[in-house]
């Protein structure tokens, strides 16, 4: 809609698009010695002449429009312009802007004389008149293009065959004579109705045809339709753009409105075509990728992914150039500026270009492909995408590492997926207590066993004694196993482990296990003797303290108090003599027991000190057996 508003509001002769930049016309053979002055009416090229004439008609300036016609002195300019406009409204069809030559010399490769250029046709009934421009040289030597006198002489015959148009027949009287943006409101309403109705009808038609094809295609080819339903809308827009111009000519919409709308429909058709081609490219490359996986051509997946992105980028660039050309921008200056800017950008974006070249190298050399498990630098993981600028790798931690292709192509990459077999490499540890003859016979039998095992191949199978250690024999197993992936290899390796251990169990050998050995040192420094004596004295003091503590028990306190009471009562009564004598006897017995306890503690202390003087220093070392 923005493009349509620009094409409607801005005058046509304000834009100048160079078709030579797209290869649509001839370039000047030589520059003249003196640069000619530009024509004041913009008639230097055939395209500018057509655009200037339509712009003058849109402004209803018939005198200005007459300057684009090759009239004689006897012709009435206003009458000729009005008749010419009537004929164009009835059935005039100009070529698209990009097909009209934009060089001052015109198109020299057509079948017309060098001084003539065909820019369209008028079809009214059975009468056909070609719209021919001819190159005119003025008295002052200026050269410019005008509609030829032969074309203008045929206009009266065309007008005789014209009939009232649909717009003129079904026009509301309230809309007649009213204008919006310089255009008749009647024409604007008619054009809007035709655009909407054409889009709705084409969409319904394309939708029905697509679903009919979706039903019939599997019956004919035996497979589902590869095109998604997302192509319906762009196909409807392209179809609408192709038929809208003819519908407006048939309805009799004014040529001054028809040409801007045609420019808009051309832009819409290019956008829809680009959109449709992008969908088709996705469908084609998706099918190619699926076939590559189906036929096990996984190396093609990376190439197809890069090709898809390059084709899409080129298609978008071409579409942008064509769209801006339809809008009337000068592409020659733009492309030249783009070249200079591209050079400056290339110098400033060396890293980006390096990554782009690196992506080509990664795809062409194919050190890895999408789905391969590889190791590069300090990372390893599965390659999930090889893009234009960078590649992405999913690590075993399920994170994604993004690596610029410039760095990725220069790294040492270890591709685990490319290996054709898996290595079985393990060691077995046996105690040195085993008989050497038994060990040697076991190694010989295991070597023959692993060579003939159904899981191993003939690449390199061997069992041998690889090392003699102080505490064990090291038996090394070497073999290769065929497997399609690491999961399958681990399953086969488990089977080989079990079979190997069952074979080892047939022999009188023991597996060596990790052990620790404690060694006591024979020498002891002299300063430890002093520490032992001090420990003895301390133990004796502790023992004495313990004896004192024994006397401080509650039972002892009770006995002492009891003895004191008995002694005090001895003078009062003779009846308590027996009690006093008994308490004294108990006290003597307790003293004897305390003395015995002290002697026993001293004996224990002497034994402990003797042991400390004769004990050895404890030290240890640990041997870990693999």
């Amino acid at each position: 809609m923005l493009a349509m508003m620009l094409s409607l509001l801005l005058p046509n002769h304000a834009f100048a698009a160079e078709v030579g930049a797209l290869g649509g016309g001839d370039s000047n053979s030589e520059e003249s010695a003196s640069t000619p002055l530009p024509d004041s009416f913009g008639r230097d090229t055939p395209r500018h002449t057509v655009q200037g004439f339509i712009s003058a008609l849109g402004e209803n300036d018939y005198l200005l429009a007459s300057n684009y016609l090759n009239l004689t002195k006897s012709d009435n300019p206003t009458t000729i312009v009005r008749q010419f406009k009537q004929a164009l409204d009835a059935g005039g069809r100009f070529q698209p802007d990009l097909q009209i030559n934009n060089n001052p010399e015109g198109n020299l490769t057509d079948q017309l004389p060098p001084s003539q250029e065909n820019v369209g046709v008028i079809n009214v009934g059975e009468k056909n008149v070609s719209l021919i421009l001819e190159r005119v040289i003025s008295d002052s030597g200026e050269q410019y293009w005008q509609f030829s006198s032969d074309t203008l002489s045929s206009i009266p015959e065309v007008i005789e065959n014209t009939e009232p148009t649909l717009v003129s027949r079904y026009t509301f009287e309230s809309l007649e004579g009213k204008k919006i943006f310089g255009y008749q409101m009647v024409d604007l309403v008619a054009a809007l109705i035709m655009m909407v109705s054409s889009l709705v009808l084409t969409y319904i038609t394309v939708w029905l045809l697509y679903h009919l094809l979706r039903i019939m295609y599997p019956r004919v080819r035996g497979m589902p339709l590869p095109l998604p339903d997302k192509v319906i809308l762009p196909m409807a827009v392209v179809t609408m753009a192709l038929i809208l111009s003819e519908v407006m000519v048939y309805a009799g919409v004014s040529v001054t409105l028809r040409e801007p709308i045609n420019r808009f429909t051309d832009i819409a058709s290019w956008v829809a075509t680009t959109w449709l081609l992008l969908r088709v490219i996705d469908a084609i490359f998706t099918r190619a990728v699926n076939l590559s996986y189906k036929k096990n051509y996984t190396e093609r997946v990376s190439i197809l992914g890069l090709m898809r992105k390059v084709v899409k980028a080129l298609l978008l660039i071409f579409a942008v150039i064509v769209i801006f050309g339809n809008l009337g921008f000068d592409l020659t200056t733009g492309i030249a500026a783009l070249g200079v800017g591209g050079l400056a950008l290339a110098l400033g974006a060396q890293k980006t270009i390096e990554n782009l070249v690196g992506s080509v190298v990664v795809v062409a050399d194919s050190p890895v492909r999408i789905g391969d498990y590889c190791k590069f630098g300090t990372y390893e993981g599965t390659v999930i995408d090889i893009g234009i600028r960078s590649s992405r790798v999913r690590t075993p931690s399920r994170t994604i590492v993004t690596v610029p292709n410039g760095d990725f192509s220069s790294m040492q990459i270890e591709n685990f997926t490319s290996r054709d077999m898996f290595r079985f490499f393990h060691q077995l540890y046996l105690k040195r207590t085993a008989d050497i003859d038994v060990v040697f016979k076991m190694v010989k039998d295991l070597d023959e066993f692993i060579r003939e095992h159904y899981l191993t191949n003939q690449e390199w199978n061997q069992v041998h004694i690889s090392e003699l250690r102080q505490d064990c024999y090291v038996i090394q197993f070497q073999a290769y196993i065929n497997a399609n992936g690491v999961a399958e290899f681990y399953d086969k390796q488990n089977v080989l482990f079990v079979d190997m251990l069952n074979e080892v169990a047939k022999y009188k050998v023991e597996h060596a296990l990790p052990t620790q050995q404690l060694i006591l040192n024979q020498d002891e420094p002299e300063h430890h003797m002093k520490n032992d004596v001090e420990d003895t004295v301390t133990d004796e003091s502790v023992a004495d303290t313990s004896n004192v503590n024994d006397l401080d028990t509650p039972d002892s306190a009770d006995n002492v108090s009891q003895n004191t009471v008995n002694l005090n009562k001895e003078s009062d009564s003779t009846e308590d003599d027996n009690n006093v004598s008994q308490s004294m006897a108990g006290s003597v017995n307790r003293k004897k027991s305390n003395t015995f306890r002290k002697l026993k503690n001293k004996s224990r202390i002497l034994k402990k000190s003797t042991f400390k003087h004769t004990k050895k220093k404890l030290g240890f070392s640990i041997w870990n057996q693999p």
Side-chain angles (χ1 to χ4, degrees):
M1 293 301 294
L2 179 61
M4 184 182 70
M5 295 302 297
L6 288 174
S7 61
L8 292 176
L9 297 178
L10 297 178
N12 295 331
H13 63 271
F15 303 106
E18 291 290 345
V19 73
L22 299 177
D26 301 328
S27 61
N28 296 333
S29 59
E30 295 180 357
E31 292 183 359
S32 59
S34 60
T35 304
L37 296 176
D39 183 69
S40 59
F41 297 101
R43 299 171 297 181
D44 300 319
T45 64
R47 185 188 300 177
H48 292 168
T49 301
V50 173
Q51 291 176 349
F53 176 70
I54 295 175
S55 177
L57 291 180
E59 296 175 0
N60 290 326
D61 192 346
Y62 290 169
L63 291 178
L64 177 61
S66 63
N67 291 285
Y68 296 91
L69 307 180
N70 190 7
L71 301 175
T72 61
K73 295 181 179 180
S74 60
D75 293 333
N76 187 351
T78 305
T79 303
I80 297 298
V81 171
R82 185 179 289 108
Q83 291 177 354
F84 194 20
K85 182 179 182 301
Q86 184 180 356
L88 291 175
D89 291 343
R93 297 172 176 85
F94 285 102
Q95 294 179 1
D97 286 344
L98 290 181
Q99 295 183 14
I100 300 176
N101 195 275
N102 200 35
N103 291 323
E105 294 81 6
N107 188 6
L108 302 178
T109 60
D110 55 8
Q111 303 299 323
L112 298 175
S115 61
Q116 292 184 354
E117 191 79 15
N118 189 356
V119 295
V121 65
I122 297 177
N123 295 324
V124 177
E126 297 180 356
K127 187 66 176 179
N128 297 326
V129 177
S130 298
L131 297 175
I132 303 297
L133 298 179
E134 60 183 1
R135 196 172 189 183
V136 180
I137 301 176
S138 64
D139 297 336
S140 60
E142 296 180 357
Q143 297 181 0
Y144 49 84
W145 294 87
Q146 289 180 329
F147 285 94
S148 66
S149 57
D150 294 337
T151 299
L152 298 177
S153 62
S154 303
I155 296 301
E157 297 180 5
V158 174
I159 295 176
E160 293 178 358
N161 297 326
T162 58
E163 297 180 357
T165 61
L166 294 177
V167 175
S168 61
R169 292 177 185 175
Y170 303 101
T171 300
F172 295 101
E173 295 181 359
S174 59
L175 299 178
E176 291 182 357
K178 295 183 179 180
K179 292 184 178 182
I180 298 178
F181 304 119
Y183 300 100
Q184 294 291 334
M185 185 177 291
V186 175
D187 294 332
L188 287 174
V189 173
L192 182 61
I193 293 174
M194 284 183 284
M195 290 175 63
V196 174
S197 59
S198 299
L199 180 59
V200 173
L201 291 176
T202 53
Y203 184 85
I204 294 175
T205 304
V206 173
W207 187 87
L208 293 175
L209 291 176
Y210 174 82
H211 285 82
L212 179 62
L213 184 62
R214 190 174 182 179
I215 295 174
M216 298 301 298
Y217 188 86
R219 298 181 180 179
V220 177
R221 298 296 302 274
M223 61 180 65
L225 185 66
L227 291 177
D229 57 357
K230 297 179 181 180
V231 302
I232 296 177
L233 182 58
M235 289 182 65
V237 174
V238 172
T239 307
M240 183 269 292
L242 293 176
I243 67 174
L244 182 61
S245 177
E246 293 297 325
V247 172
M248 288 190 299
V249 172
Y250 178 76
V253 178
S254 175
V255 67
T256 57
L257 179 61
R258 199 164 62 228
E259 287 305 313
I261 291 179
N262 287 338
R263 187 179 297 112
F264 164 71
T265 55
D266 289 340
I267 295 172
S269 64
W270 275 105
V271 172
T273 302
T274 305
W275 185 9
L276 178 61
L277 290 177
L278 290 176
R279 298 297 185 187
V280 173
I281 289 172
D282 286 335
I284 292 174
F285 279 95
T286 301
R287 180 177 176 82
V289 170
N290 293 334
L291 289 177
S292 299
Y293 280 121
K294 184 177 181 180
K295 296 183 179 180
N296 201 20
Y297 295 150
T298 54
E299 67 278 359
R300 299 180 181 178
V301 176
S302 301
I303 300 176
L304 291 173
L306 182 60
M307 287 180 60
R308 173 190 292 186
K309 296 175 181 178
V310 172
V311 170
K312 283 186 174 181
L314 294 177
L315 179 62
L316 290 174
I317 292 173
F318 181 75
V320 169
I321 292 175
V322 173
I323 290 172
F324 277 93
N326 276 318
L327 288 174
F329 290 96
D330 188 357
L331 297 182
T332 302
T333 306
I335 292 177
L338 184 62
V340 177
L343 180 60
L345 182 63
L347 294 176
Q350 296 181 6
K351 197 66 178 179
T352 302
I353 298 177
E354 178 185 352
N355 293 330
L356 179 61
V357 175
S359 65
V360 177
V361 172
V362 171
V363 172
D365 190 36
S366 297
V368 291
R369 296 164 295 185
I370 295 177
D372 288 356
Y373 189 90
C374 64
K375 182 179 181 180
F376 56 96
T378 58
Y379 297 98
E380 61 178 285
T382 303
V383 180
I384 61 175
D385 181 57
I386 299 177
I388 295 178
R389 192 199 71 84
S390 61
S391 299
R392 291 189 290 275
V393 179
R394 186 176 294 279
T395 64
S397 301
R398 308 307 297 168
T399 60
I400 294 179
V401 178
T402 301
V403 187
N405 286 329
D407 299 335
F408 195 60
S409 61
S410 60
M411 287 182 178
Q412 292 183 353
I413 303 174
E414 183 179 2
N415 193 336
F416 292 95
T417 308
S418 299
R419 54 189 172 190
D420 55 348
M421 59 187 70
F422 289 79
R423 187 186 185 192
F424 179 85
F425 185 80
H426 295 280
Q427 293 177 338
L428 183 67
Y429 303 93
L430 302 178
K431 288 185 178 181
R432 290 290 297 269
T433 56
D435 190 357
I436 186 62
D437 294 332
V438 175
V439 174
F440 184 76
K441 185 177 184 306
M442 183 194 69
V443 170
K444 184 176 180 181
D445 294 342
L446 287 176
D447 183 73
E448 183 178 358
F449 167 77
I450 201 171
R451 290 177 186 273
E452 297 179 355
H453 199 277
Y454 69 95
L455 292 179
T456 60
N457 55 37
Q458 302 301 320
E459 181 66 24
W460 182 8
N461 301 323
Q462 187 179 18
V463 179
H464 62 279
I465 302 175
S466 64
E467 189 177 353
L468 294 177
R469 296 185 181 179
Q470 295 179 352
D471 54 350
C472 66
Y473 299 104
V474 180
I475 313 300
Q476 189 175 92
F477 294 82
Q478 167 78 30
Y480 282 92
I481 299 175
N482 294 326
N484 294 325
V486 65
E488 181 181 354
F489 166 69
Y490 287 150
D491 293 337
K492 293 183 177 181
Q493 181 177 248
N494 292 335
V495 176
L496 190 57
F497 272 143
V498 174
D499 295 343
M500 180 187 69
L501 293 176
N502 289 333
E503 289 294 322
V504 174
K506 298 178 181 179
Y507 301 89
K508 295 182 179 180
V509 294
E510 295 183 9
H511 295 279
L513 301 176
T515 59
Q516 294 181 351
Q517 186 172 0
L518 182 65
I519 298 177
L520 298 178
N521 295 333
Q522 300 297 326
D523 299 328
E524 182 181 14
E526 294 180 356
H527 67 275
H528 286 287
M529 300 293 294
K530 297 179 180 180
N531 295 334
D532 293 338
V533 173
E534 294 176 358
D535 293 340
T536 304
V537 175
T538 302
D539 293 338
E540 292 177 354
S541 62
V542 171
D544 293 339
T545 304
S546 63
N547 293 332
V548 174
N549 292 335
D550 291 339
L551 295 176
D552 293 336
T553 58
D555 295 336
S556 300
D558 295 339
N559 292 330
V560 172
S561 60
Q562 185 178 1
N563 293 335
T564 304
V565 173
N566 292 333
L567 290 175
N568 292 331
K569 290 182 179 181
E570 183 178 1
S571 58
D572 296 335
S573 177
T574 58
E575 295 178 358
D576 296 333
D577 289 340
N578 294 330
N579 295 330
V580 172
S581 60
Q582 290 179 358
S583 63
M584 293 297 293
S587 176
V588 172
N589 291 333
R590 281 193 297 273
K591 289 181 179 180
K592 289 181 180 180
S593 63
N594 290 335
T595 303
F596 178 76
R597 188 181 296 110
K598 289 181 180 179
L599 292 176
K600 188 175 181 181
N601 290 335
K602 288 182 179 180
S603 176
R604 188 185 302 115
I605 292 171
L606 290 176
K607 290 181 180 180
K608 184 176 181 181
S609 62
T610 303
F611 172 74
K612 288 184 178 180
H613 282 290
T614 58
K615 71 177 180 179
K616 307 299 179 182
K617 179 183 177 182
L618 295 178
F620 67 92
S621 64
I622 299 175
W623 291 356
N624 292 324
Q625 178 179 346

